[in-house]
Amino acid sequence: VDSRHTQGNYTVSWNAPFLSLSGYGSEATSVLRGLVELSLSESHSDHDHRWKIAAGLSHGDSLDYDYFQSLPESTKSIFLDAYATQESITINPQNTVIICHSEPGAWSPEPFYESPHPCPPP
């Protein structure tokens, strides 16, 4: 996401199995950390005001509590901040980039499985 060439404020809503040991989870974690580091870097400090990072932390897989507890505090903080943003935003198609970082079966789960943040949202 490059907000230098766009107008307005944007939200990246990243939905992935961040808190599992899966390949999707480790990929998404790497990208999420990179986005946060980019938004905090001195050369891109204006991005912090142009786009927010939100995360649905257990989309596509179950949460592994032991894995979460083993993470560095800085990573836990990134996850908790991004999840709080996800809980507080209203999806607006005009300014929200929605990413469903999982296998397609997780996009429309079976009727017995309800997700608080289906991806893509209805």
Side-chain angles (χ1 to χ4, degrees):
V1 175
D2 187 350
S3 64
R4 291 175 294 176
H5 304 294
T6 60
Q7 299 295 316
N9 296 310
Y10 294 85
T11 299
V12 176
S13 175
W14 198 288
N15 299 274
F18 290 103
L19 302 181
S20 78
L21 292 170
S22 70
Y24 284 105
S26 63
E27 289 171 353
T29 297
S30 294
V31 174
L32 180 64
R33 288 182 58 96
L35 287 172
V36 169
E37 289 169 11
L38 176 66
S39 73
L40 298 177
S41 71
E42 188 173 292
S43 62
H44 295 89
S45 61
D46 64 321
H47 285 220
D48 199 298
H49 303 289
R50 300 290 304 273
W51 51 281
K52 296 185 283 189
I53 303 165
L57 297 181
S58 60
H59 169 73
D61 202 353
S62 59
L63 182 136
D64 184 328
Y65 186 76
D66 292 334
Y67 169 67
F68 178 74
Q69 290 302 319
S70 73
L71 295 171
E73 290 301 317
S74 61
T75 302
K76 288 179 192 177
S77 178
I78 288 170
F79 285 149
L80 294 174
D81 289 348
Y83 183 70
T85 300
Q86 180 82 352
E87 290 294 302
S88 68
I89 64 170
T90 300
I91 301 294
N92 178 342
Q94 301 301 315
N95 67 354
T96 305
V97 177
I98 299 168
I99 300 168
C100 301
H101 190 139
S102 61
E103 56 93 18
W107 298 353
S108 298
E110 296 296 322
F112 61 85
Y113 176 80
E114 292 187 27
S115 171
H117 299 289
C119 193

